[in-house]
Amino acid sequence: RYIDVMDGLFVPNRTNGIKMFKDNIRLENKPFDVHLMVEDPLRELSNYIGASIITFHIETLINSKTMQLDMDQFYDISREIKRMGAKVGIAIKPNTTVSFLRNLLNKVDLVLVMTVEPGFGGQKLIESTLNKIEKVREMGFEGMLEVDGGITPENALSVIQKGANVIVAGTSLFGADDVYDAAWTIKQK
C-alpha cells in the first residue's frame, strides 16, 4: 500500500493524507509506504505512526542560497522516522541532480526516483530520469530503489532493468478497464 501526501506548498496539489492513511492503516497488516510531498516533513511525521516506510524529498533539505544539504535537518527527520519504527526513504525530483544523494545513500533504506514532476497523476514518464536509477545503483546503493511516475506495462521492464526493485503505478492501474489484469501485467515484467 502506498499513499501520496501533498501539502499544497511543496507541490501545488493537496491531499487529505492523514484521513487516507487512517482509513487504510487498519485494513490489512501489510507494509504501508508513505510518500511525503510536503515542505516541512518533520512537522507531518507524527500523523503517520504505523507506516512501514516514510519517504521525504531531498529538495526540502537543500538550502536555496548555498545549494548545500542541511544534514542536521536530515538527521532530525530520519531519527524521528526510525523512532516511529519505520524505514527511512529519500525522494528526488526529475530535475534534481543525484549528486545530492551521495552522502545519504548509506543512511537511508529506500531511494525514490520520481520519473514525473510530483503532485499530478497521469503524467508520462520522463525518459531522461531512467539514467538516475542507474546512477543511484552505480553510486553503490543496494537498498530499495523505488520508481514513481508514469509507470505502465510498456515501460516497467526498462525501469527494472535500470535497477529499480519497487515500482509505484497509479494511473496505469486505476485507469485500466481491469485493475487486476493491469497489475498482473506489470508484475510479470
Side-chain angles (χ1 to χ4, degrees):
R1 297 175 298 158
Y2 184 88
I3 185 171
D4 283 330
V5 178
M6 298 180 249
D7 65 0
L9 301 169
F10 183 76
V11 295
N13 285 330
R14 185 178 194 78
T15 59
N16 191 345
I18 298 167
K19 180 178 178 0
M20 290 188 311
F21 178 76
K22 289 186 179 186
D23 287 349
N24 285 284
I25 193 71
R26 299 171 287 168
L27 295 178
E28 298 176 41
N29 190 19
K30 292 190 176 179
F32 208 120
D33 186 348
V34 174
H35 176 196
L36 297 176
M37 293 181 266
V38 300
E39 207 168 72
D40 187 355
L42 192 58
R43 192 183 76 208
E44 297 283 336
L45 290 178
S46 64
N47 296 315
Y48 301 98
I49 293 171
S52 309
I53 303 165
I54 300 177
T55 302
F56 61 100
H57 274 266
I58 196 166
E59 294 83 8
T60 64
L61 304 174
I62 300 171
N63 181 307
S64 60
K65 291 182 178 134
T66 65
M67 295 309 291
Q68 298 295 312
L69 288 180
D70 183 338
M71 290 304 290
D72 289 337
Q73 187 179 9
F74 169 79
Y75 286 122
D76 288 346
I77 296 167
S78 49
R79 223 180 346 262
E80 182 62 16
I81 291 171
K82 288 178 184 176
R83 188 194 66 70
M84 293 168 54
K87 293 183 178 188
V88 177
I90 194 82
I92 187 166
K93 291 167 62 172
N95 292 324
T96 303
T97 178
V98 294
S99 63
F100 282 113
L101 294 171
R102 188 166 312 283
N103 294 326
L104 303 180
L105 292 177
N106 64 344
K107 298 169 180 60
V108 297
D109 303 293
L110 177 142
V111 172
L112 168 56
V113 174
M114 293 296 301
T115 50
V116 299
E117 280 302 318
F120 300 96
Q123 297 177 68
K124 187 176 186 293
L125 181 139
I126 301 167
E127 291 292 324
S128 62
T129 60
L130 296 178
N131 294 331
K132 286 186 177 200
I133 302 165
E134 255 180 346
K135 286 180 183 174
V136 170
R137 288 296 185 209
E138 288 169 3
M139 292 166 74
F141 185 67
E142 295 178 3
M144 291 179 283
L145 183 45
E146 185 170 61
V147 176
D148 180 10
I151 304 299
T152 65
E154 294 75 32
N155 64 25
L157 182 58
S158 60
V159 168
I160 292 164
Q161 288 173 335
K162 294 288 184 179
N165 55 7
V166 180
I167 293 176
V168 177
T171 302
S172 67
L173 293 182
F174 298 111
D177 291 335
D178 184 336
V179 171
Y180 297 105
D181 184 53
W184 183 85
T185 302
I186 289 174
K187 195 172 183 175
Q188 296 310 303
K189 301 293 179 179

